Amino acid sequence: IEGGGRKGATLYLSMNAQFPGVGKWLVSSQKSWRDTEIKESSETASVLARIHYADGSGEEQFPLLVVERRHAVLNRKAALYALSLDAARPVASIELMDRSPHTQLVLYAAGLSPKSVPSARAEEAPPPVEGPASGKPETKSTYRVTALEGKRAPGKAVQAEFREEKQPAGRRLSLAVKNVSSEAQEFTLVFPSVTIRAAADASDVWYLFPRQGAVLSREEKPLEAMYSGEFPLQFVDVFAPAANRGACMILHDPDGRWKKFRLHKTGASVLVEVEYTVRLAPGETFRAPDARIATHGGDWRQGFETYRQWVATWYKPQGPRPAWLRSAFWARRDYPVGGTGRLFDTRRNRYTYDEFIRDGQLFGGIDFIDISGWALSETRGRVGDYSIELGGPDDLRRNVAAGNQAGIPTGLYFEGYLIDKNSKVGQEHDSEWQIIKADGTGQWWQGGVELFACPYVEGWQQFLSQRVASVAREVGAAAVYLDEFGFGRKRCYSTKHGHPPGEETLRGELAMTSRVRHALDAAGMRDTIIYIEETPPDAAAPYFDAAFCYNLPLAKPAPLPVKLNLWRFAFPDVRLWDMLSIGIEPRSLPAEDFRLSLWHGNGLWLKGHADTWYGEDLLRFVRRARGILKEHAAAFAGTADPLVASPHPAVFVNRFRGEKETVYTLFNASYRTVRFTFQEKEKTLPPREVDVVVETHR
């Protein structure tokens, strides 16, 4: 668009776009497939405008959707967009770019206006607060026992003992409920139920709800999430920056019981609650995990630090956390059958690690090979017996050894839940080990031939742990993968598995993982790590050395303009690989999530065909990111602090501290170029881009 030296405050664009959905998407919480439908894009990697002024200066912007006052481009729908200009400078030209090979743009018309562009809806973060707290917030704590849906309330059949103990910086709450009747009682228990009023001015009251994609907001709205991969940290913070006071509710539950967290801001008051479903036999008592209300100043980071201090009182890793894992940033997943064809030659029935490793150079190299489907059998399925028919044990062992020699260890896939009914173990134990649903029927994977086994079952624990250890030792695997572990959302209603009916399976996963760990140790495989499909709830963190992470692709929209994974900063010693290439078919990959992964200092789970799925622009970024992460691996494995002081309101900064250096990752959360000074250097950061600054310790 030629500006011809004209001046204006806004450039309006009448435009249409197409962002095709490519492939299918895996919805991890339900473990089901659905077609991709892209309704809009906010990816600067897809669309971007470069503004060139006559004096040689310029900037980049992502268009503003005028009617909705937000930065998004609608898919297959014509709309009016706007770019904000410097009205004092003549415009030379504007380049409107479709930056993705999957994007198409149609520009119908462009018009210059002297009036300023409509402002976007505010996306904000609270300011950091220094200095001692100015008093304590008002807090009120209680509990309640209510009826389950469709059942009567227990009434006097349940007696409660509630205690509140004052402490120097807050209070400790405890509750025990006892069934004093002659009949079993099942009910909902809410404890604690805490109302926090950090300031009189509602606009000064903020809260942190650390779900998947943390919510840092002052909106008046209700929030709730199950304790699981969806909400993995057991705390909620309420704070008032101007009043400089706040309070953090921390639930002291290192055992990881099933529960739901809720928050509801109304006016200046914030209600924080934890809900349990309880079933008590006559005379039985349920003692809820204690809760702590810790008061602090007007910064949520103080509450987060108090939570981290509580974690330090019980957190002790079970696994080896070997040195190689600290710098294993690029995890490459593939399948011998149905994969890229680089890992395995089906015609010759042999693994081809040399070709697979060469292919990985498109990513700048790979640090870890993650093999799924290695146990595929034409007669017994892919899960259950875990025999090595593809290639045979000797061929797989030779290739694993070659990978180790190249500094690239191998991890092997095992299913933590599924057993093919055609396998030998499936034929022997199918319904005996199967998870039972609330309606009394057995649970199957998508109605197919793979049943879900209950991880509480002693026989299943013994079988899987021994099989994992045996295979790992036979082929020299550096890691074993337990698929589906980490979500913590399944329930089993069997009366024959040694757990109460309706029990949530998270603690069964931990029991199974402990058995796997002991079996590996007994087999002389102490250095073999255990990794899982999703970032686990905090109580499960000691059991695993690494995890794939859905936080970026599945984070729900939140007022905070970045997707923040606070788990990463609570457990910096656990390797996270962000899952950004989900599914088994090609699709458009979210370039912005790749940048946010580097901003978090995480690794990547790389899947699919490097030469066709990613595109050269994204591959260039991936290669650069790996170099940064590898060079500063010690700092990224050190103390991690989220959202530290920033030089610009649109720039969000994380800090990673090692012995020899501190690394800062900066992300421009706005949709236009920003300029600022950081560490005494002038910086220019394009919209939705990441930068890394290193400070060497003297």
Side-chain angles (χ1 to χ4, degrees), residues 518-638:
H518 292 322
L520 287 168
D521 293 352
M525 304 296 290
R526 174 60 189 168
D527 291 337
T528 298
I529 71 163
I530 300 174
Y531 63 115
I532 55 175
E533 186 181 3
E534 171 62 306
T535 309
D538 53 8
Y543 294 78
F544 307 109
D545 303 285
F548 298 141
C549 180
Y550 287 90
N551 184 86
L552 293 175
L554 297 186
K556 298 175 182 177
L560 188 67
V562 291
K563 301 173 184 178
L564 176 63
N565 181 5
L566 271 181
W567 199 98
R568 163 66 174 96
F569 300 91
F571 301 98
D573 59 322
V574 179
R575 162 62 58 231
L576 293 185
W577 290 298
D578 284 318
M579 299 185 78
L580 306 181
S581 48
I582 301 173
I584 59 175
E585 297 181 2
R587 68 178 185 87
S588 298
L589 297 178
E592 183 174 300
D593 283 353
F594 281 79
R595 300 170 194 155
L596 286 170
S597 180
L598 176 58
W599 182 67
H600 280 91
N602 283 344
L604 288 175
W605 187 73
L606 298 166
K607 194 173 183 179
H609 294 266
D611 54 349
T612 56
W613 280 35
Y614 293 81
E616 189 51 43
D617 287 345
L618 188 52
L619 284 174
R620 274 196 296 269
F621 174 82
V622 168
R623 289 192 287 265
R624 181 173 73 89
R626 181 175 182 266
I628 292 169
L629 292 165
K630 297 284 281 187
E631 183 179 356
H632 307 292
F636 283 116

Side-chain angles (χ1 to χ4, degrees), residues 372-445:
S372 182
W374 58 269
L376 182 66
S377 166
E378 291 186 4
T379 57
R380 296 184 178 182
R382 68 182 187 100
V383 291
D385 295 338
Y386 297 105
S387 56
I388 307 176
E389 296 181 11
L390 295 174
D394 291 341
D395 178 62
L396 181 55
R397 181 170 54 251
R398 281 194 299 270
N399 279 269
V400 168
N404 288 336
Q405 189 172 4
I408 308 173
T410 296
L412 297 181
Y413 175 105
F414 294 87
E415 243 294 349
Y417 283 96
L418 296 179
I419 302 174
D420 194 298
K421 69 177 183 180
N422 298 308
S423 65
K424 181 180 178 182
V425 68
Q427 293 173 12
E428 293 175 352
H429 300 285
D430 52 6
S431 59
E432 177 188 354
W433 291 357
Q434 191 171 19
I435 286 179
I436 302 302
K437 298 185 292 185
D439 62 4
T441 62
Q443 187 171 354
W444 296 85
W445 164 253

Side-chain angles (χ1 to χ4, degrees), residues 39-76:
K39 296 182 179 179
E40 62 183 48
S41 176
S42 59
E43 285 266 343
T44 58
S46 297
V47 179
L48 200 65
R50 284 182 181 158
I51 301 167
H52 303 279
Y53 294 105
D55 62 3
S57 63
E59 66 166 305
E60 295 179 333
Q61 285 187 37
F62 184 87
L64 177 77
L65 178 60
V66 174
V67 69
E68 298 183 22
R69 292 175 51 211
R70 62 191 183 93
H71 290 92
V73 175
L74 303 180
N75 192 13
R76 297 190 297 276

